[in-house]
Amino acid sequence: SYNKRMTASSALDSFPVKNAGDEDIKTYWSAKTGNSGEWLMMDLQDQYDVYAIQVNFAEHLTNLYGREKDNYFQYTIEYSADGMNWTKLIDKSKNRTDVPHDYVQLNKPVKAQFLRLTNVHVPDGTFAIRDLRIFGKGSGNIPKMPAFTKWDRNPYNQRRLWLVWNAVPEATGYII
């Protein structure tokens, strides 16, 4: 889903729709309102098997601080092969749990080119997404495994590890 084509019901000029797929923690897309019905759509530009989806919400024009009782997001996600005929995939319209980085593993994969995320409720501010992440399998060749050239564990904090590897030109990222 990295840098795929995106469209939306609306967007604030300083927070364009392309930000919702750029994998940059410092950027995000924001709709003009927090109203139910605002949406974000991703075009994967081909049919892919989708196994999981992560919605990373952003807080824009919010005045909430700390733990508020209505601090939850509600939304739906639909998928489509053609961008016109939609099937509901995820229904979080009744959610009451605070999940600002909601990851949903599907029970079985679906084949999709388009995914549409629609707002039902935001706790405050506008409907804003830091990143919409789609996990699945494409039809291309899998990039080679990178060769690690150096690694070192911090002797004072065993949870910290420093890794160096040779970049693989066909890879857009690495999961470690």
Side-chain angles (χ1 to χ4, degrees), residues 1-155:
S1 55
Y2 174 64
N3 280 338
K4 293 300 184 186
R5 192 175 312 142
M6 309 280 262
T7 55
S9 54
S10 69
L12 294 172
D13 290 341
S14 298
F15 303 94
V17 70
K18 68 182 175 97
N19 289 356
D22 67 1
E23 293 289 333
D24 184 342
I25 193 74
K26 296 176 276 184
T27 67
Y28 58 92
W29 158 78
S30 178
K32 290 182 179 179
T33 75
N35 296 344
S36 178
E38 291 274 19
W39 55 266
L40 173 68
M41 185 176 71
M42 178 181 285
D43 177 356
L44 296 172
Q45 299 170 296
D46 201 353
Q47 293 270 324
Y48 292 100
D49 293 327
V50 175
Y51 285 76
I53 298 174
Q54 183 176 19
V55 182
N56 294 316
F57 292 96
E59 297 79 28
H60 186 72
L61 299 178
T62 182
N63 292 310
L64 295 179
Y65 301 99
R67 289 283 178 207
E68 302 283 336
K69 78 173 190 178
D70 291 333
N71 195 13
Y72 55 85
F73 296 91
Q74 295 175 332
Y75 64 91
T76 61
I77 296 179
E78 301 164 289
Y79 72 99
S80 172
D82 58 11
M84 296 185 308
N85 299 297
W86 296 91
T87 302
K88 192 167 286 182
L89 182 61
I90 298 170
D91 186 350
K92 296 277 186 134
S93 62
K94 306 239 185 293
N95 175 57
R96 296 290 215 163
T97 305
D98 182 13
V99 282
H101 307 286
D102 202 7
Y103 175 83
V104 178
Q105 181 78 39
L106 303 177
N107 291 329
K108 62 180 189 173
V110 297
K111 191 166 281 299
Q113 178 172 339
F114 299 90
L115 293 127
R116 183 170 60 194
L117 166 67
T118 304
N119 180 48
V120 175
H121 166 83
V122 293
D124 194 32
T126 62
F127 183 50
I129 303 297
R130 201 161 294 285
D131 280 298
L132 176 60
R133 305 176 81 202
I134 312 302
F135 299 92
K137 292 185 179 177
S139 57
N141 295 326
I142 296 173
K144 294 177 189 170
M145 177 79 92
F148 289 98
T149 59
K150 187 173 184 179
W151 56 90
D152 191 20
R153 187 176 297 271
N154 183 324

